[in-house]
Amino acid sequence: MATFRLPTVLNEVIRAHNNQLIRPIKPKNGVNSFVFPCRKMVFNYCERSGSSKAMMVYLQKEALEFAKGNPQIEVIVQPRPSKHPLIRAFYTNGKQKTKTVRRCSIEEIPEVVKSLRDHSGHKLRRWNKYVLSDTPSVRGIFSPFHVHQEHKITDQKPQK
């Protein structure tokens, strides 16, 4: 006698229906939704170091406003003894970007934070091609400057 087994996908659906399995939803952009690329920012500073003075002033005055203005980003402040201050950003694609702010003034730190917040997490690369396509054209990109003859549309028939 043959035994019948359900495919694993059906087993998952049946267990999900019984509230035994809840799969995590992968965030993705689409209609009426936007997933912010930056998910977490970590501010590291040293309490005794002179290079961390501007960072400590920023954390005391402006970091709370930044955290309230960006509720989608998890903000973590950690002391890092005997090290230069740095800001580390973690992105939804699994990448991270780190910037040291040891020589930055109090006015420059919000700009660094904003640039890390607005970054997508992908590596910066040079775009050599103007059009990105899965199926590139054999003839190339159309340009009106490469047409040899002018074509005029008229109602008259050509004379013989």
Side-chain angles (χ1 to χ4, degrees), residues 1 15 19 22 25 31-32 42 59 62 64 74 85 98 106 113 115 119 124 126 130 134 137 139 142:
M1 183 172 182
R15 279 186 260 143
N19 292 329
I22 299 173
I25 298 171
V31 178
N32 293 334
V42 179
L59 291 174
E62 299 180 29
L64 189 60
E74 179 183 0
T98 304
I106 300 168
V113 171
S115 71
H119 195 266
L124 297 176
R126 187 172 173 214
Y130 298 110
D134 293 336
S137 172
R139 296 182 179 184
F142 172 78

Side-chain angles (χ1 to χ4, degrees), residues 19 32-33 38 58-59 68 71 78 102 122 136 143:
N19 292 329
N32 293 334
S33 67
C38 182
Y58 173 79
L59 291 174
K68 286 181 182 178
Q78 292 177 339
R102 67 178 180 190
H122 297 290
S143 173

Side-chain angles (χ1 to χ4, degrees), residues 5 17 43 51 81 86 91 99 103 107 115-117 121 126-127 138-139 143 159:
R5 293 185 182 209
H17 182 68
F43 295 87
S51 62
L86 57 90
Y91 300 97
K99 289 223 175 173
R103 292 183 180 157
E107 294 82 20
S115 71
L116 287 173
R117 180 197 68 185
R126 187 172 173 214
W127 295 93
V138 177
R139 296 182 179 184
S143 173
Q159 297 177 357

